[in-house]
Amino acid sequence: MAWRYLLVTEGAGFAEWRPGFLERLMSRLVPRANPGYDTKLHLVAAWAIEFQEGRPEREIGLDARGSPVVRGPSEDDYGFWLDSGMMLEDFTGAREMQPEEFEVLWAGR
């Protein structure tokens, strides 16, 4: 199976994260998989996802205008879909993307 690229709306529509005292304390004690995503997930309206052999490899969370707001994996964030266990065939209603489209978004242009 070759590389594939999808644009999906699954995993969008999160409420804004407002941590309470206990969550702030725990985040200092227990490392989180995606600390850079916490304050931005509510902005994600769609995801651009790169797959190899049916597994997510890279992901970009896009806002309502189509601008990148989160990317993973990165130095600090593992990734929302990379950590989900979902495979290519689990996504329904997705739009195929061209690799060049994905790379432009990944580069932040």
Side-chain angles (χ1 to χ4, degrees):
M1 187 181 292
W3 293 87
R4 302 245 332 252
Y5 300 84
L6 296 181
L7 184 66
V8 303
T9 55
E10 295 169 88
F14 281 88
E16 186 172 357
W17 188 62
R18 295 175 188 239
F21 172 76
L22 187 57
E23 288 174 305
R24 288 193 306 271
L25 178 63
M26 290 303 295
S27 70
R28 293 176 188 261
L29 299 174
V30 179
R32 299 176 58 84
N34 299 305
Y37 281 36
D38 289 340
T39 60
K40 297 177 184 172
L41 273 180
H42 72 283
L43 301 172
V44 174
W47 293 92
I49 309 170
E50 174 187 67
F51 295 86
Q52 182 184 31
E53 301 298 324
R55 295 187 181 282
E57 289 290 319
R58 292 188 293 172
E59 65 189 28
I60 307 163
L62 306 169
D63 66 14
R65 295 180 317 219
S67 298
V69 291
V70 292
R71 290 180 187 85
S74 67
E75 185 176 308
D76 297 322
D77 300 302
Y78 181 67
F80 180 80
W81 292 112
L82 280 71
D83 201 26
S84 73
M86 289 185 68
M87 301 290 287
L88 178 68
E89 63 269 8
D90 296 323
F91 291 90
T92 59
R95 176 179 75 80
E96 289 273 346
M97 296 178 70
Q98 295 299 313
E100 299 81 15
E101 284 181 272
F102 185 91
E103 292 302 335
V104 165
L105 293 169
W106 185 260
R109 292 180 256 140

